[in-house]
Amino acid sequence: MKMRAARMHGYKQPLVLEEVEVPKILPTEVLVHVEAAGMCRTDFQLVDGYFTALDLPFPATPGHEIAGSIAAVGAGVPAASGLAKGDQVVVVGGWGCGECDQCRVGNHQICGKGRWPGFGLYGGYGEYVPVPYQWLIRLGSENNLKPEELAPLTDAGLTPYRGIKKLQQAGVLGPNSILAVNGLGGLGMYAVQYAKLLSGGSLVVALARSDEKLAIAKEFGADVIINVKGKTLDQVRKDLIRETGRGEFNAVIDCSGAEESIGLGTGLLATSGAYCSVGLVGNRINIPLFPLVAREQTFYGSFWGNYVDLSEVIELAKKGQIKHQINIVRFEDVNDCLDRLRDSDFVGRAVLTYK
Ligand SMILES: [Zn+2]
Ligand SMILES: [Zn+2]
């Protein structure tokens, strides 16, 4: 049987749209029919060679945000898993080794030997993906979410969730706290919502360079929006004082990762504030040491999310607590869409479908 796939045959080249064999599954794998695949900044970064350290084998199929249905279940998949043909599922990223210290405490997404769909032969930019049975979450019969809403939740809608949980655990959120969401790309639009859901009443300030994105952030619950385009740190501080009466953030989740974004966020971080980076646009962080030490600030890296984090996100979505901002992309348009992602042209998440 054949399927459509958009594959990389080398770095810095357009994806090749082709008909290829549907993957065979191992006995402990499940074949997932991809109904929607979120398109992430990471995908064009992969194409552009940002992750050359991965030693990617070619051809490679991008696409690590996957929702669909089960097309086949391997003969060795335990009946206790409850997985059956036709079930609606999302794919959990970061398939850990199961043996290391990180895997043992459930943080399989930071396992040193982990694998991902979308960073090898198979990914969501192809119509079928083999997945080890442990890494699926079933939606159940009461599911009322569409595949295109579900797919982005496995990364864009998951990564900021874990990041804000870290800030929550750091004890910097609550009624007298200001939490900034820095950057409103695919991740930031979800971050604003988790900022409201998880921050115990913190004032949520969204920072971005696009009025259009800021308007949606306001709709999604941001208390204050500030357009930072072309502004110095002091100008942003003045805007913040005008809007909130205070000139610093107690917590920041950085969904961009660009050098200027981190400079702004850390420059406005309060004493004993906490900063969490989830965005990966830039390469380096360059922040002054003395304020970090003398003001006892904390910096967190937060990567993707684990099975528990994703289960919580899916549950919130099922209960209607997450709003979706989706742009449907047809399979034929996948290369155009990658170009638009390079230009940060999308408001919300681009999602590939095969209809
Ligand atoms: Zn991603
Ligand atoms: Zn491991």
Side-chain angles (χ1 to χ4, degrees), residues 312-331:
E312 290 173 6
V313 163
I314 296 293
E315 222 34 56
L316 286 172
K318 276 180 167 178
K319 291 187 169 70
Q321 297 203 48
I322 300 178
K323 295 195 181 83
H324 312 273
Q325 179 74 25
I326 306 293
N327 299 278
I328 299 284
V329 177
R330 295 181 316 154
F331 177 71

Side-chain angles (χ1 to χ4, degrees), residues 32-304:
V32 173
H33 177 217
V34 179
E35 290 168 7
M39 295 183 68
C40 185
R41 285 189 66 89
T42 307
D43 297 341
F44 80 73
Q45 289 177 308
L46 185 72
V47 171
D48 291 352
Y50 183 96
F51 301 111
T52 40
L54 286 179
D55 201 15
L56 200 65
F58 295 115
T61 314
H64 52 268
E65 296 186 344
I66 300 170
S69 56
I70 294 181
V73 179
V77 173
S81 70
L83 297 168
K85 196 174 167 184
D87 286 351
Q88 288 291 311
V89 288
V90 294
V91 178
V92 182
W95 305 340
C97 71
E99 305 293 336
C100 72
D101 291 348
Q102 296 304 333
C103 284
R104 283 184 196 283
V105 296
N107 289 328
H108 51 85
Q109 86 287 6
I110 50 174
C111 167
K113 295 180 197 147
R115 292 192 295 134
W116 272 265
F119 296 90
L121 185 54
Y122 300 114
Y125 289 19
E127 282 180 280
Y128 291 88
V129 179
V131 180
Y133 78 91
Q134 302 93 324
W135 303 117
L136 293 168
I137 294 176
R138 269 194 314 160
L139 273 301
S141 53
E142 81 286 13
N143 173 47
N144 53 3
L145 297 161
K146 299 185 193 114
E148 55 266 33
E149 293 169 335
L150 287 164
L153 294 178
T154 63
D155 174 16
L158 171 63
T159 300
Y161 182 80
R162 183 176 174 85
I164 290 181
K165 270 171 80 175
K166 280 194 196 289
L167 294 172
Q168 187 190 49
Q169 286 154 9
V172 289
L173 304 180
N176 295 313
S177 172
I178 300 182
L179 166 58
V181 175
N182 202 357
L184 292 176
L187 277 68
M189 287 300 182
Y190 292 101
V192 166
Q193 304 184 59
Y194 300 136
K196 291 303 285 187
L197 284 168
L198 305 179
S199 75
S202 297
L203 193 77
V204 176
V205 178
L207 308 172
R209 294 181 299 179
S210 147
D211 284 336
E212 193 186 359
K213 291 179 181 177
L214 285 162
I216 296 169
K218 185 102 203 183
E219 236 174 78
F220 283 5
D223 298 301
V224 172
I225 53 175
I226 298 176
N227 191 327
V228 299
K229 191 172 185 179
K231 288 182 188 160
T232 63
L233 190 108
D234 281 331
Q235 285 170 322
V236 176
R237 193 196 307 272
K238 270 185 198 140
D239 288 352
L240 184 64
I241 292 169
R242 192 182 62 241
E243 297 286 342
T244 70
R246 288 157 60 186
E248 288 179 323
F249 305 120
N250 304 94
V252 179
I253 179 149
D254 190 294
C255 298
S256 150
E259 214 170 296
E260 58 272 33
S261 159
I262 292 176
L264 175 70
T266 54
L268 293 175
L269 193 63
T271 297
S272 53
Y275 197 93
C276 182
S277 268
V278 295
L280 283 173
V281 171
N283 284 306
R284 298 189 65 81
I285 293 173
N286 184 6
I287 49 179
L289 180 63
F290 187 74
L292 184 79
V293 174
R295 304 182 76 197
E296 297 200 344
Q297 295 166 335
T298 309
F299 192 98
Y300 292 90
S302 186
F303 187 65
W304 218 297

Side-chain angles (χ1 to χ4, degrees), residues 7-10 12-16 47 335:
R7 305 200 298 179
M8 288 173 69
H9 286 262
K12 297 188 162 81
Q13 301 165 22
L15 301 178
V16 180
V47 171
N335 280 309

